[in-house]
Amino acid sequence: MSATGLEVFDTTVQQTNLWLKAIQERLNSDDRHFAYLALRGTLHALRDRLPPELAVHLGAQLPMLVRGFYYEEWHPAGTPSRERHLEEFLEKVGKVFVREPPADLEAVARAVLEVVAARIDPGQVSKVIHALPPELRALFPEWARRAAI
């Protein structure tokens, strides 16, 4: 029996839950809401750092539900933003954690980007990595950076 009545919605909910579970596992957390905030904050920071065309291509690779919050509050005319340093990028990631930002935002961003890199087209991952300054490229897992060479 369909949970939503539409297979396409059931599929995207299932895919999104798999992404969130993978993030939870990498962060050793049982908090699904925390995983959602981590995914949302990291994707927003990444999206805003990419040229608009590349951000759209990345968005096309995401599950439909994730794609929805990926585009939330996006202003393409203001992109790419100019963060070149890790601290600036992580500050943007942390903005979604209104009540209590995690102590290790770098671990949060790394966990999310590992899940993203494992679940989207490797060619797209390579393009995203190449569009970032070296300090931000380092947030992606080593296997993804090696493949992007």
Side-chain angles (χ1 to χ4, degrees):
M1 181 81 192
S2 171
T4 65
L6 288 170
E7 185 178 333
V8 68
F9 289 167
D10 291 339
T11 300
T12 194
V13 168
Q14 181 181 22
Q15 290 172 340
T16 301
N17 277 323
L18 291 172
W19 281 53
L20 294 175
K21 183 178 180 183
I23 292 166
Q24 286 177 263
E25 289 171 357
R26 283 160 179 79
L27 294 173
N28 294 319
S29 171
D30 59 356
D31 188 340
R32 177 87 30 145
H33 188 255
F34 180 82
Y36 158 72
L37 291 174
L39 179 60
R40 183 172 176 230
T42 303
L43 285 178
H44 281 190
L46 180 61
R47 172 204 70 197
D48 291 348
R49 186 59 186 84
L50 297 174
E53 185 176 339
L54 185 54
V56 169
H57 288 293
L58 173 60
Q61 299 275 316
L62 302 172
M64 182 173 50
L65 184 57
V66 175
R67 191 178 320 130
F69 62 78
Y70 172 77
Y71 285 115
E72 215 173 29
E73 301 175 8
W74 188 37
H75 304 284
T79 58
S81 60
R82 299 290 175 218
E83 295 88 13
R84 300 199 61 72
H85 299 289
L86 181 61
E87 297 79 26
E88 297 167 318
F89 184 84
L90 295 177
E91 185 179 313
K92 285 190 109 172
V93 171
K95 285 184 179 181
V96 298
F97 297 96
V98 177
R99 293 192 180 148
E100 186 177 336
D104 191 352
L105 281 170
E106 185 173 344
V108 168
R110 285 181 183 280
V112 170
L113 293 175
E114 182 178 349
V115 170
V116 169
R119 286 174 165 69
I120 67 170
D121 177 71
Q124 190 64 46
V125 173
S126 179
K127 290 176 185 175
V128 168
I129 289 171
H130 283 290
L132 297 173
E135 214 171 302
L136 302 183
R137 290 178 191 169
L139 290 170
F140 280 86
E142 185 179 339
W143 56 264
R145 293 191 318 265
R146 275 196 316 260
I149 295 175

